[in-house]
Amino acid sequence: MSGANPGEFGPPQPAKPPQQPPAQPPVQPAQPPPVTYGQPPQSAPGYGYPSPAYPSPAYPPAQPVGYPMTPGYVMPMQPSNGMGTTGLVLGIIGVVCSVTFFLWFLGVILGVLAIIFGAIGRGKANRGEATNKGAATAGLVCGIVATVILPLLGFLVFASFMSVI
């Protein structure tokens, strides 16, 4: 009874044959387009099918790092702090040399240089080219002290000793 459907209400029904899909014509491979010189071939070699187009990755565009730059933007130069710092260093060394008895002449020379570099450094700071106006002013003051005040005090002390003798 494998082909019949036993039913309670009537005679057995014959089994239905399985349905087959409609017949399709055989697939013919696509012919590659003719190759023209000067252009890359449009098909994969040996297969007759066009090469698949590889999609670009689906990544979002890169975000710029930092602040966005406008066209024509030029980064400003960093302020130079060399003149004021040099004036301060020379002024401090000049004061120390002027205090000593044997190096007072070197102290005067370094004091003059400290005045020059301190004045140039203050000028740059006033124009906005440097950021160390305080160091340049301190170098200028130390240069004046090393050049004028300490040698003048030394001369007065020497003169008072000579008047006692």
Side-chain angles (χ1 to χ4, degrees):
M1 275 201 156
S2 66
N5 191 8
E8 296 175 275
F9 304 110
Q13 300 291 328
K16 293 182 182 177
Q19 291 185 352
Q20 294 182 355
Q24 295 180 355
V27 178
Q28 296 290 332
Q31 296 296 323
V35 178
T36 58
Y37 294 105
Q39 294 180 356
Q42 296 296 323
S43 64
Y47 294 107
Y49 292 105
S51 61
Y54 294 102
S56 63
Y59 296 118
Q63 297 295 325
V65 178
Y67 295 107
M69 295 181 66
T70 58
Y73 178 77
V74 178
M75 181 167 275
M77 295 292 294
Q78 291 292 326
S80 62
N81 296 329
M83 292 293 183
T85 305
T86 304
L88 177 62
V89 169
L90 289 175
I92 291 171
I93 295 173
V95 167
V96 170
C97 289
S98 292
V99 170
T100 62
F101 180 72
F102 297 106
L103 296 176
W104 69 270
F105 187 74
L106 181 63
V108 170
I109 293 173
L110 292 177
V112 169
L113 290 175
I115 291 171
I116 293 170
F117 282 113
I120 293 172
R122 272 186 57 96
K124 278 188 163 188
N126 288 336
R127 288 189 303 270
E129 298 173 6
T131 58
N132 61 342
K133 186 175 181 179
T137 303
L140 187 64
V141 169
C142 287
I144 292 171
V145 167
T147 304
V148 177
I149 296 177
L150 288 179
L152 184 64
L153 287 176
F155 178 73
L156 291 176
V157 169
F158 180 72
S160 66
F161 279 136
M162 292 308 269
S163 66
V164 173
I165 296 180

